[in-house]
Amino acid sequence: MNTGNTTPLISVVIAVYNGRATIQQCLDSVTQQTYGNIELIVIDGGSTDGTVDLILANTKQITYWISEPDRGIYNAWNKALSQAKGDWICFLGADDFLREPNVLARMAEQLVMLPPDIRVAYGQIMLLNNNDSEVHAVGEPWENVKHR
């Protein structure tokens, strides 16, 4: 919901299960954001590969986390909603990351301009290969869809 706040709280929710190989990059991409009004919530599905050790090593930057079995990513995200206090929620998978440190700042600039009846916003994502080279953009540019 748009509360008219010029610095809305953005809850970043990360769902993970056995994501040791990628979770640190995901966490770093959130904690290194230039936007300061963020809460970080991590829902782990009961990982057994060392993911929990990485979460524990990052607890100072994590607002809330839990590790327990769940029924998949959507169940994990729904668990997070009961903890989230944000005006807006940004969902990430453990192998996702925010590509630039100003992503959430740029998002917040746009979110505060939305009318109060707008409750969902989206952004394009970029699929990358293993060399971090761009493969394909998913979603239309905001300029093409904002009036829908």
Side-chain angles (χ1 to χ4, degrees):
M1 102 183 86
N2 183 351
T3 61
N5 184 352
T6 58
T7 55
L9 177 61
I10 298 175
S11 298
V12 177
V13 173
I14 300 171
V16 60
Y17 178 68
N18 286 340
R20 184 177 183 274
T22 58
I23 187 72
Q24 190 63 57
Q25 180 181 23
C26 182
L27 291 168
D28 290 345
S29 79
V30 175
T31 61
Q32 295 170 2
Q33 289 295 300
T34 58
Y35 187 73
N37 204 12
I38 302 168
E39 70 173 355
L40 178 54
I41 299 170
V42 180
I43 308 296
D44 175 72
S47 293
T48 58
D49 69 340
T51 296
V52 174
D53 294 331
L54 289 175
I55 294 169
L56 286 168
N58 289 276
T59 55
K60 288 184 181 174
Q61 292 88 14
I62 298 171
T63 307
Y64 174 85
W65 75 277
I66 191 168
S67 179
E68 64 183 16
D70 56 43
R71 294 183 310 275
I73 192 169
Y74 301 112
N75 182 233
W77 284 346
N78 281 323
K79 285 182 189 182
L81 291 177
S82 67
Q83 299 297 320
K85 295 174 180 55
D87 300 301
W88 292 93
I89 298 173
C90 175
F91 293 105
L92 296 174
D95 58 349
D96 297 332
F97 62 94
L98 303 172
R99 196 157 183 210
E100 299 171 356
N102 65 342
V103 169
L104 295 180
R106 289 176 36 220
M107 263 179 40
E109 288 173 4
Q110 298 301 310
L111 292 172
V112 298
M113 294 190 298
L114 293 175
D117 62 328
I118 301 294
R119 299 172 49 101
V120 175
Y122 94 103
Q124 272 188 301
I125 63 168
M126 181 60 67
L127 300 179
L128 305 175
N129 64 19
N130 290 338
N131 298 322
D132 285 341
S133 297
E134 294 179 1
V135 175
H136 176 69
V138 177
E140 294 181 57
W142 180 244
E143 290 302 316
N144 296 355
V145 298
K146 71 179 181 180
H147 298 292
R148 291 184 188 169

